[in-house]
Amino acid sequence: MDSLISAAARALAAGDPLGALKRVALREDPPALALRGIAMAQLGEHARARELLRRAGNAFGSHESLSRARCVVAEAEVALAERDFAGSPRALEAALATLEAHQDIPNAIQARLIAARRLLLLGRLPAAAGALAPLAGQALAPPTAALAGLLNAELKLRSLQPAAAGADLDAARAAAQSAGIPALLAEVEETAARMSRPAARRIRPHAEQVLRVDEVAALLQSPALVVDGCRRTLGAGGVRIPLARRPVLFALARALAEAWPGEAPRERLIEQAFRTRSPDETHRARLRVEIGRLRALVKGLARIDAGALGFSLRPLDGGEVALLAPPLEGDQAELLALLADGAAWSTSALALALDASQRTVQRALAELEAGGRVRSIGRARAQRWLAPPLAGFTTILLLPAALALE
């Protein structure tokens, strides 16, 4: 490696892409192409960065597998910044295996962090935890340690473990300060600020209360029977019953929780569950069937009593019922939560993260665009979607999360 390549690599490691470009901007050899690609990525020119990295990877010969693996890792990181999940993760897995076989530990760790970040964005929390697990206890360089701490904190926040997330953020902050990279430190502080913002609302009979993430976690671990409108679950203590794929039953549970400690009228339940204000006997018969299904699900936690006007939810321990509502209501809340990170998402990436069809996502985006809440850039395959940041609250509880209970 010549002196200019070494100097450019050091500049990139210190977060100085312009300094790196000054040394390799006019060179066309594979190492210089790779460094130029990384510099362009740091400057936000993602399309150009991917082109340069692909050229560099192709230019390295078949006997230079280590260098090609490094290019694959760098291109995967740029794809992540572009929210492009179309590619198979197998290429990154193969690159990781090559890096580990050649004992290139720093780049192997970077590959693991990229894989974990991808899984986090897609809401695959158990898989993300598995990707990060091999890094636990390792002595990492300050920039890498800061990134690992950030990802671990994000994982804990999404898993509603705020105390553990705070400890990871403290470690990430110390590492970022040691690294001396302002952008990294700013990302740590932004993640820390999310913990103090409202994350959900607790709906009471005549008022509502905003809750932080730690307060939500405490409520979910309390003896109260909680109907969680953020994660679409119902439960008490450590028991959770998933209702995300049973929208009618969740609508009934929410309406019953809204009416607690009183009865929810049958007309209200029918309106909430079946989206009609003109019920007939068929709706009433269907309501009895769905209430029976909900009774079977909550058996052991609560009972559902029938009254003259409707139904009421009664915890078996005589405790209270709590209704958690997201800070942002509407059918497109999860979609807006994903777009609130400020990155430009493709329709396919949004569909993958939300576990929905592209057609469903396209319809939702069209509605949001008509209301001026999102905008698109580019066309056809290059089309991406953006939304302004959602100020005043955090979207942690609206982001997709494939928890073990689901």
Side-chain angles (χ1 to χ4, degrees):
M1 188 180 294
D2 61 48
S3 59
L4 286 178
I5 293 293
S6 299
R10 287 194 297 271
L12 288 175
D16 180 16
L18 294 178
L21 286 175
K22 287 179 182 178
R23 294 167 172 85
V24 296
L26 300 179
R27 293 178 53 165
E28 293 291 324
D29 52 299
L33 289 173
L35 292 173
R36 284 167 58 192
I38 296 170
M40 297 305 290
Q42 290 187 6
L43 292 171
E45 297 290 336
H46 297 141
R48 178 60 174 157
R50 294 184 74 175
E51 177 192 346
L52 287 167
L53 289 167
R54 202 169 290 124
R55 283 176 57 195
N58 293 334
F60 283 116
S62 57
H63 61 286
E64 298 175 292
S65 59
L66 179 59
S67 297
R68 299 180 71 173
R70 290 170 177 167
C71 290
V72 169
V73 171
E75 187 178 352
E77 187 170 11
V78 179
L80 200 62
E82 284 193 304
R83 300 298 188 265
D84 181 2
F85 304 132
S88 170
R90 292 178 182 175
L92 183 59
E93 293 169 2
L96 172 59
T98 300
L99 293 168
E100 289 179 335
H102 286 80
Q103 294 296 303
D104 186 355
I105 303 304
N107 282 302
I109 290 173
Q110 185 69 9
R112 284 195 179 278
L113 293 176
I114 293 167
R117 177 66 171 160
R118 182 181 189 274
L119 291 166
L120 270 176
L121 286 170
L122 294 175
R124 315 296 197 255
L125 303 192
L132 289 170
L135 302 182
Q138 287 197 34
L140 306 177
T144 308
L147 288 172
L150 270 172
L151 290 179
N152 275 304
E154 179 77 17
L155 177 64
K156 304 294 174 45
L157 281 175
R158 299 273 287 276
S159 303
L160 290 180
Q161 301 174 48
D168 286 324
L169 277 175
D170 289 341
R173 183 182 290 108
Q177 290 171 341
S178 177
I181 301 177
L184 197 53
L185 187 57
E187 190 173 353
V188 173
E189 297 303 335
E190 171 57 26
T191 303
R194 291 164 61 192
M195 297 182 65
S196 62
R197 296 176 189 151
R201 296 171 294 133
R202 182 175 179 180
I203 308 298
R204 297 181 181 273
H206 303 292
E208 66 177 50
Q209 173 190 4
V210 295
L211 302 178
R212 300 186 307 271
V213 175
D214 58 331
E215 294 170 326
V216 172
L219 179 61
L220 291 175
Q221 293 300 318
S222 73
L225 181 66
V226 181
V227 177
D228 183 356
C230 301
R231 298 293 176 93
R232 303 293 181 94
T233 64
L234 182 151
V239 178
R240 286 288 169 270
I241 300 170
L243 296 174
R245 298 187 184 278
R246 308 187 75 169
V248 171
L249 296 188
F250 176 76
L252 292 174
R254 175 164 181 159
L256 290 168
E258 284 177 339
W260 185 85
E263 285 184 3
R266 288 176 173 81
E267 290 74 15
R268 174 65 173 164
L269 291 169
I270 289 172
E271 180 184 343
Q272 289 286 93
F274 309 136
R275 305 293 180 91
T276 179
R277 296 185 179 181
S278 303
D280 55 27
E281 284 305 316
T282 61
H283 292 107
R284 295 185 181 90
R286 187 181 173 195
L287 176 63
R288 290 193 293 272
V289 171
E290 298 296 347
I291 287 290
R293 289 173 175 162
L294 187 58
R295 274 197 184 108
L297 275 179
V298 302
K299 184 179 180 181
L301 293 176
R303 68 178 191 270
I304 300 175
D305 294 340
L309 298 177
F311 296 90
S312 58
L313 188 61
R314 297 285 180 255
L316 294 182
D317 61 2
E320 63 178 341
V321 175
L323 173 60
L324 273 180
L328 182 66
E329 293 283 8
D331 294 336
Q332 295 91 14
E334 288 185 342
L335 185 57
L336 285 172
L338 284 173
L339 292 170
D341 66 357
W345 287 70
S346 67
T347 304
S348 60
L350 290 167
L352 190 60
L354 294 172
D355 193 20
S357 69
Q358 286 198 47
R359 183 59 187 151
T360 298
V361 172
Q362 286 167 352
R363 284 196 297 266
L365 288 169
E367 292 176 15
L368 290 170
E369 187 177 31
R373 305 182 74 180
V374 302
R375 64 184 178 90
S376 65
I377 54 175
R379 294 191 178 188
R381 289 180 177 272
Q383 187 178 39
R384 296 291 185 272
W385 293 89
L386 293 161
L390 300 173
F393 60 86
T394 179
T395 59
I396 288 170
L397 298 181
L398 291 175
L399 295 170
L403 299 176
L405 57 89
E406 297 178 345

